[in-house]
Amino acid sequence: MLTELDVNSDMGEIDTADACATEIEMMPLLSSVNIACGGHAGTVESMRRTARLAARHAVAIGAHPGFPDRATFGRSSSDVSGDAVTRLIVEQVTTLSVAIAADGLSLTHVKLHGALYNQAATQPHIARAVVHGLLTLSEGVSLYALAGCALVAAARSANIQVVEEMFADRAYRGDGSLVPRSVAGALLLDEEAVRAQVRSLIAGAVTSLDGTSVPVQAESLCIHSDTPGAIGLARVVRSELDAAGIRVVAPSRGTRGR
């Protein structure tokens, strides 16, 4: 029975007034945030702005690296080498770390973005490259990864702290992976659908798009800031967690290989 759960969101990805307003409204509802760090999106200015907002609300700050493909927002699969992935991780995480250090802020975690997230979850050589990149960094950050995926096992075998993640606003396949965004129904946009999914997830399972019940055990719940109606959906998430007596809190640090 869950008593605590992290609520995270990906931010710093869209540099418009509306996106900034959404982040301002959502941030108090979160316990951790993943900030785009110059690959699929993000500038040094947006990194600092989002990190400062997170700090004002005592929200844990993480890096959100992705393939450097702004044309498709880092959501196109890539036939990329392991070495390239390792370099990508080190360069982007370091960029964000340096950008926010001027404000006395530091990173607690890394969460991959888009196609990189999905490929690392299923492709062993990508998972190993991500792990190598994290071990190269000096921050000692934890790694957010899709609950039960290959990246979880790869990180734990390297004694990296892992935070397994589930999604309030994304549909699942029967194997526990996420339905690709190109497929109809991949995004949950209706508040009642999100409410039902949150209730199911905190009970330990999710109903896949094909009707299969998939067991899910996770420490963090994601609600995307770029999902249409994100503010209302985030409020639904918090309402359901509050009603269930679940305290929203960032994952504790220091337990390696968890």
Side-chain angles (χ1 to χ4, degrees):
M1 189 73 177
L2 283 174
T3 58
E4 294 182 348
L5 188 67
D6 175 54
V7 177
N8 81 81
S9 189
D10 310 331
M11 291 187 172
E13 297 178 308
I14 304 172
D15 202 9
T16 65
D18 285 348
C20 292
T22 295
E23 292 185 3
I24 289 169
E25 291 292 324
M26 285 185 67
M27 195 68 78
L29 304 173
L30 308 176
S31 48
S32 64
V33 64
N34 323 301
I35 302 177
C37 40
H40 68 287
T43 63
V44 169
E45 291 74 19
S46 65
M47 295 175 209
R48 289 174 174 160
R49 182 183 63 240
T50 307
R52 288 166 183 160
L53 178 63
R56 286 201 294 272
H57 293 282
V59 170
I61 299 169
H64 194 44
F67 289 133
D69 175 15
R70 297 197 176 212
T72 69
F73 201 60
R75 286 178 174 153
S76 292
S77 297
S78 176
D79 184 15
V80 64
S81 71
D83 287 345
V85 169
T86 296
R87 288 194 301 273
L88 175 163
I89 296 295
V90 174
E91 290 170 3
Q92 292 187 30
V93 174
T94 300
T95 295
L96 177 59
S97 181
V98 170
I100 68 175
D103 291 316
L105 303 176
S106 60
L107 300 176
T108 64
H109 64 277
V110 171
K111 174 185 166 180
L112 307 178
H113 168 79
L116 180 58
Y117 184 99
N118 293 324
Q119 287 182 233
T122 58
Q123 297 178 18
H125 80 285
I126 299 293
R128 289 193 298 269
V130 170
V131 167
H132 184 56
L134 294 179
L135 292 175
T136 302
L137 294 164
S138 61
E139 281 86 352
V141 292
S142 60
L143 175 67
Y144 282 40
L146 181 68
C149 78
L151 182 57
V152 172
R156 285 186 174 148
S157 69
N159 205 31
I160 292 171
Q161 181 176 352
V162 179
V163 177
E164 295 191 73
E165 176 183 38
M166 53 192 177
F167 290 82
D169 57 355
R170 292 293 306 277
Y172 281 75
R173 288 168 160 168
D175 64 358
S177 64
L178 300 178
V179 174
R181 286 177 178 263
S182 59
V183 175
L187 280 176
L188 305 186
L189 305 176
D190 178 75
E191 290 188 4
E192 291 310 308
V194 168
R195 188 184 306 279
Q197 179 136 312
V198 171
R199 288 177 177 176
S200 181
L201 286 168
I202 63 179
V206 66
T207 301
S208 71
L209 202 58
D210 65 6
T212 306
S213 180
V214 182
V216 179
Q217 298 293 327
E219 301 160 88
S220 187
L221 178 66
C222 178
I223 179 74
H224 289 93
S225 67
D226 64 347
T227 296
I231 297 170
L233 299 180
R235 289 173 177 154
V236 166
V237 168
R238 285 301 303 262
S239 173
E240 287 303 311
L241 298 182
D242 290 345
I246 296 172
R247 188 166 72 101
V248 173
V249 60
S252 58
R253 300 183 69 187
T255 305
R256 309 303 293 175
R258 185 174 170 189

